[in-house]
Amino acid sequence: MPLYLLSYDAHFDRDYAALYELMAVWNAERLHESLWLAERLGPAEVIRDFMIRALDGDDSVAVIELAAAAQWTNTRAQVGGTNWLRQHIPFRHG
């Protein structure tokens, strides 16, 4: 199943309850405050549309498919998100 990086930016009204519920249903893991990781069927446009419906009309959303061979690194990220990355995209140096 494809792996996705999900990002959002709530601009005015900051009610995240519906989005957090959606992330829980998707078994998504938080990497940073507004950056999540999820394994979804996609396509990216469908995932984006679900996220938009869980937010307000003025919010921004980005959905990016990750490649299994991608390089990654982080600092001060959430433990759950880092563990998700380790499980789905093995860490490799340069």
Side-chain angles (χ1 to χ4, degrees), residues 14-70:
R14 299 190 187 274
D15 181 8
Y16 300 115
L19 180 72
Y20 292 166
E21 185 177 316
L22 180 63
M23 294 297 108
V25 168
W26 286 354
N27 293 316
E29 284 289 342
R30 181 179 265 166
L31 187 62
H32 291 286
E33 185 63 31
S34 60
L35 191 61
W36 296 74
L37 301 156
E39 192 172 7
R40 303 297 309 155
L41 283 175
E45 294 86 356
V46 171
I47 295 169
R48 177 205 57 207
D49 292 347
F50 273 102
M51 290 178 67
I52 288 171
R53 285 194 288 272
L55 293 165
D56 292 324
D58 62 341
D59 297 334
S60 302
V61 171
V63 176
I64 301 165
E65 187 173 356
L66 300 171

Side-chain angles (χ1 to χ4, degrees), residues 2-25:
L3 309 174
Y4 288 95
L5 181 73
L6 313 171
S7 180
Y8 62 90
D9 189 9
H11 296 287
F12 297 108
D13 186 20
R14 299 190 187 274
D15 181 8
Y16 300 115
L19 180 72
Y20 292 166
E21 185 177 316
L22 180 63
M23 294 297 108
V25 168

